[in-house]
Structure formats: C-alpha cells, structure tokens
Amino acid sequence: MLSIAVYTLRARRVTFVGSFVALALGVALLTVMGLALASSLDAPRRAPERFAAARVVVKGADTLRVATPIGTRTQRLARPRAVPAAAVARLQRLGEVTLDRTFAVHAENGPGDLVGHPWPVAAFASYELTSGRAPRTAREVVVTGTWAKPGRTLRTDHGGVTVVGTVADLGFEHPVFYTEAQAARLASRSTQLVVAARPAAVRNAVRGIPGLQVLTGDGRRLADPDPDRDRVALTALNALFGTAGGVTAFVSVFVVASTFAFAVAQRRREFGLLRTAGATPGQLRRTVLAEALLVGALASAAGCVLGGYGAPRLARWTADGGLAPGWFRIGGHTWPYGAAFATGLLVALLGAAAASWRAGRTGPTEALREADVDDRPMTRGRRLCGAGLLLTAAVLLLLDPPGDLLHRKTYVSRPMVLITAVALLSPLLVRPLVRLLARAPARLPGATGLLVRESATAGVRRTAAVAAPALVTVALAGSLLGATANLNAARAAETRDRTTAAFVVTPPDGAGFDEATLRAVRAVPGAQASATSASAVYVLEDGVALIRSEARAAVPAALAATARLPLASGRVTALDDDSIIVNEEWERHTVGQRVRVWLGDGTRKTLRIAAVLRTGTGDNGVYVTPANASGAAVDRIDVALRDGADAGAVAAGLREAVRAGGGRVRTADQWVAAAYPRTDRTTRLGVLLVLGIALLYTGISLVNTMTMATADRVRELAALRLAGATRGQVLRLVGAEALTVVAVGALLGLLVAVVELAGMWRALHLLSAPVVIRLPWSAIGTAAGACALLAATAAVATVWPALHPGKDQAPPVR
C-alpha cells in the first residue's frame, strides 16, 4: 500500500500539492500561535524603579482580603489606604521617614500624565539634577525631560509655578517635584513611605497593624506606578493568543478536512478502476490513509519550520502595534512544535479517514461512469453531524445567559459551531442557491449562463468545497465585526438615554477637579451641577465569590436633575449615606434589602438598596453617595440649566470656572459623541489579528481548492473547445462559474452572520438595552469581493495554459 501511495502522490501532484499547502499553512499558524501563547505565560522580572535606592518601603493596604469557606478571596482596592499616623509615629523612632505623596498634575502644553511628588523622594529613584537647582518655595518645581526649561513659568491646576531645575527622564513616569511642605498641602494622604532603618526593625514596629506591607529587595517594585502592568499586559496577550489559536485551529481543521475530502471525491473513477483490478475496500482505505500519513508528516514538518520563522515576526508586530509590552519576545519553548506537528498529522488522518470509508465503498462500475453528476453528495454521517451541530448552535443561541452573549470570548467562538453546521449541510443548499443566482443569467443570449448553472449544480461536491472558504471568510467577518459594532452602538444609545444635562465638564486626562474649581462651577449663575467621581464597591456573592462593581459617587438630588437612570425599581432620590443603588446582576437586587459591601478603600458596611437599575450592556453600574467614596476625585460634572437660564451665558461661565485647571466644557451631544463607545486599540488590533489570520488562511485555501477543482476539469474544458467554443468563451465560463460558487459561499456566510447577530439582538432586548441593528456591509463586501477575485483569478490561471495552441485536443481516456 505504501508503494502505491507514493506512486499516487507523484501521479496526482496538483491534488496532493493542494492538500500539502493547506495542511502546512495550518500547522504553521498553529505553531506561531502556540509559541506566542507559551511566551505570554511568564513576564520577565522587573527591577524596582521609583524606590530602587531605598532600603525599606512601607506601603498601606491596597488589597481587600475576605475569608470564605473555600479560602481567602482578594481584590485590588480602588483607593489604597494611607499609612496610619500611628505607624508613622512608630517608624520615626527607628530612623528618618520620607512620606511619598502622589497626586495628578495638569500643566498647559505639558505631558498628559504628569504626576506630583515631594522632592525628597527623587533621590530614591536616583534622579539627579541635569540643570538648575532643587525647589525651595511652594511655587517652585523640578520636572523631567526637556518639555520645560529652568526659568519657565507653568500654569497648572494647582496654580502657577516656576521651573527651577530639571532631571533626566527615567522612562517610567513624568514627575513634577514640589517642596515637601507644598506636596503635603496638595496631597494630605501618603499611601507609602521610605524608612532609613533595618527591615527586621521595621517589621517589628508595624506588627499588628493590618494591611501594611514592608517591601525590600525586588518587592520594592510593588511601590512603583502600576506595578501589575506587565501581568495585566500578559493576561490580555494570553487571552488574545488563546482566542487567535482557537480560531486558527478551527479554520485549519475545517479547511484541511474539507480539502482531503474533496481530494478523495475527485478520484472516484480511479478507485473504481482499482476495484475492477481486484483491490478490496480495505486496501483502498489503507491506501488513502497511507497517502494522508505521507502528506501529513511532510506538511506538518514544513509547517513547523515555517511557524518557527514567522513567530518572532508576529511578536515584533504585536509589540510595535501596542498589543504586547516592548520586551515581549518568543521564548525557546519546544512543546508548541510537537503539539502543532501532532495536530497536523491527526487532522490529516482524521480528514482522510472519513473520506477513505467512502473510497472503500466505491464500486467497480465507477470506472465506467462518464457523468460528473453527484447523485449522492452527502453521506448519512455528514447529515447527522450537520444536523447535530445545527441543533447545538440553536441551543447555544437560545439558552445561553443573555449577558454571556455580549462577552468577547463568546461572540468570537460561538459562530464556529454554526459555520461548521452550515458547511456540512451546504450540499443540500447548493443546488437551490445556484439556480436562484443563475436564473437571470441562464435566460440571456448565449450558453454561458446555462452552462454555469448546470456545471455548478451537477458537481455539488466541487461547488460545496470551493464555497466553504468563502463561507468561513464572510461569516467570520460579519460575525466578529458586526458583534463589536452592534455592542458599541447599544452602549452609545444607553449613554445618550442616560444623559439629560445641558453640558458635561471633564478634567484633563488623569486628573480630577479640586475644591476651588468645584466651587467656581457651582457658583455659575443658572447652572445646576452634579459632580460625580469614580470608585468601586465589592460584594461577596454565594458566600464564595468576591465581585468588584464599578461605582459612581453622586449627590442624589443633583444626580436626578442631570441624569435619567434606567430604573427597574426604586427612586434615585431615595439614595443616602446608608443606602446604595445596584443593578439586576447583583445576587440581592430588591429595594429595601440590606447588602453587606466593602467600599473602595476596603471599609466594610451594610447598606440598604434604594433603587435597582436594569442590567443593560453592563455599563449600568453602582451608585453611592460621596460619603461612601471618601477621597475619590471628581472626574465629571453634569450641568443642567435652571429655569430661565441662558445656555450661552452658562457655557461661558463654565469655561471661565475651569480655565485654570484645564477642564473642558462640552454640550451633552458633544460629550456623547466624544464618549461614543469605541473598541479600544488593543481589542481592535486583537480582533483584526484573529480575523486577519482566518481570512489569510481561507483566502489561500480558496485559491488552493479552486486550482484543484479547475485542474481536474481540463479534459472537460478541452472538449468544449472541440465543440466550437473559443478560448475567450471558455475562460469567461470558468470565471463566471467561480464567481457563482463564491456567491453561494458568501450568501451562506451572510446567513450565518445574520443568525449570530440576531442572537446578540435578542440578548440586548432581554437585558433591556437599546437594540441597534447594524451589519458591517463594507467588511462583508470586502471579504466577498476578495474571495471572488481570488477564485476567478485562480480558475482562469489554471485553465489558461491548457488552452494554448496545440493543447486544444482532449487528453486520451486512461
């Protein structure tokens, strides 16, 4: 059998080259995703930055810890606690204590992420003056980099200051150093400090004070700004490559199995001739499996080599595009190669196994058949599998919790089930769709339209095999991009419905409004202001799950005047310092019930539920009063007009009130447009990566399958030339048939996308969120157009050499 398999591979090069290319590319993609995924599991150890020269750093509690029957649950606090005064007093007996006070700073024409510190802490990051001197008065500062030189006066949200010195930019932040006394006035809280004492003595001094952390050695990095940024980046990267790997595995398995099945179906007469010569069904099956083994081993090995070459380039692209940290590199992992090779070999054998069973059932009379009509294009097993997957897709759409249908992992992975189901059942749909598409062209003068219709409907297996890549391409493009577009539109509609203010005032990026600015805004004639701040609330659900909910702190009466919250029950004005507004996702969500929560700083309280919001798209969070969000900076002011107030005069007054702090005044419509939920850059690039990999692979597969299908028809097309058809007519026929088949695949893909998006529309309706129906027609059209161009080009390019002068005769029957 092995020798026959080798001879067959040599004799049918085009067919097996197509299978080889499909499998090699699939294994290459799996190798790339596996290497990227393995490399995203561990971050390099980052050395301390801000306190690299400090001996001991004491940090206030920044983690909420709650004991449960199954262990301690933790969540990062929205507002870390300050180091208690009692702890500071104890530490001062051991040695010099330097309090680190951190606060946001906004300066005209300065970097958007400026942060203030007292000058004494600069020494612990090894900042050294490059020009000028240290600050001595409240109106003097030292800055990093070259954006401001000594002698320059800066206008900041904390008043005018003069730059008296500069230090080198160390790359991890843009600090503004004030005197120690001025920093204490601007930031009363200190969440961390440096102690000039032995670590053991410091630990003994703070023993018994809950939550305090004594950081030494590499642990000092926990006092750096955003110490978890590497872990968070890798978590996002891991999710991205995991999703991309899943999509890649699905597309590659789908395409490879389809390619192998089509390759076997093309050889019906060959198998019939072998049966006539005395081959048994078992011998035919073993021959097909041996061919798959040879092709699978060679293609998998080639794919591993190609994947090893492409993985570093993917890592560089993700780092350059901001998807991964700049240090991300492909490591020396070996298991992805073994996993990809084994997967490729297994897919080849499984893809050929089903086809080999059909080959073994070929009768000797098949060698005598001249008709290319597929009388039985679907086996019973294919029907059962397709029907089962179709039922599974329907159950997932109808029975999954509505909230789950809006999650990225769900709307990325769920279409695969329906795509596979429709692809398996596509032979049942090919004939009616082709007849529908070719009805009008078939009635035109000439035989091209008629021949296209009859050829496509006669070769159902061929049509379904070529349509499959187009089906995957259009379905994925429509489902993925359509899901994000509909979800963003629903969130934008929610934002628009909730906002009844005339103006919305926002601070500079990374900053909050100070008390002086708030007083100035509230003093504007004709303005009714509602100042809100961001915080968080934690609740223990089912006794074991510590859940964090984003919260807004607001004064109830002002909030009711400037917002229209989507209430399911209760009243906004019933909110007070002893109550909370929750949404329907909470375990307890009945007005009047009391619920135990932890506030943003970890304070435990039991609050009464004053009102319940509808779930919506997930942005309907929690509301508390400012007393339950102590220390949270105001980051948004909604302003309604009092009766008889002039909008222009109020807008001018608001601009003057926030001018010193750099705040921005927008009308409600302008703010809604600016706050329109857009897919963030990382998520957008991630979706494009997943979609790009799938579309690239299916595009290559489309060319591959089209070449295989067209090469098998050279004798048929040469017969048309003998019947009087010109070379141009044959090329037009081949091109028209390719476009028709792609149109069939595109229609099936559009059907899948519409069904998937209908599931999302249903979920939004059940969640009482605005239902905005949008289809990404430009993406669908681009995907379908690209498939049509590739298919037509591949078909014409394959036939063209066979139609040259001297090649017009039909090849002899073998």
Side-chain angles (χ1 to χ4, degrees), residues 292-352:
L293 182 62
L294 288 173
V295 173
L298 294 174
S300 297
C304 287
V305 173
L306 186 61
Y309 176 80
R313 285 153 182 80
L314 174 66
R316 191 159 51 246
W317 179 82
T318 55
D320 293 343
L323 280 172
W327 47 257
F328 179 66
R329 297 291 185 274
I330 298 297
H333 305 278
T334 57
W335 67 261
Y337 291 100
F341 183 89
T343 301
L345 195 57
L346 182 63
V347 167
L349 292 175
L350 290 179

Side-chain angles (χ1 to χ4, degrees), residues 392-474:
T392 302
V395 169
L396 291 176
L397 280 173
L398 296 176
L399 299 185
D400 266 2
D404 290 350
L405 298 178
L406 305 185
H407 295 165
R408 185 179 67 178
K409 286 185 177 179
T410 303
Y411 66 68
V412 168
S413 60
R414 195 185 56 219
M416 300 176 191
V417 179
L418 187 56
I419 289 173
T420 307
V422 173
L424 287 173
L425 299 175
S426 60
L428 297 177
L429 306 172
V430 162
R431 283 197 175 102
L433 283 176
V434 169
R435 294 190 182 280
L436 175 65
L437 292 171
R439 175 178 296 179
R443 295 178 179 177
L444 294 175
T448 300
L450 180 62
L451 288 174
V452 166
R453 185 187 69 185
E454 297 306 318
S455 176
T457 55
V460 173
R461 289 196 196 100
R462 180 180 70 239
T463 302
V466 177
L471 161 64
V472 175
T473 303
V474 173

Side-chain angles (χ1 to χ4, degrees), residues 17 87 154 160 163 306 365 370 398 419 529 532 571 575 588-589 625 650-652 660 687 741 750 780 786:
V17 164
L154 302 178
V163 177
L306 186 61
T365 57
E370 290 296 327
L398 296 176
I419 289 173
T532 61
R571 294 178 296 108
L575 179 66
R588 290 192 173 192
H589 56 267
T625 60
V650 170
V687 170
V741 173
L750 178 61
I780 291 173

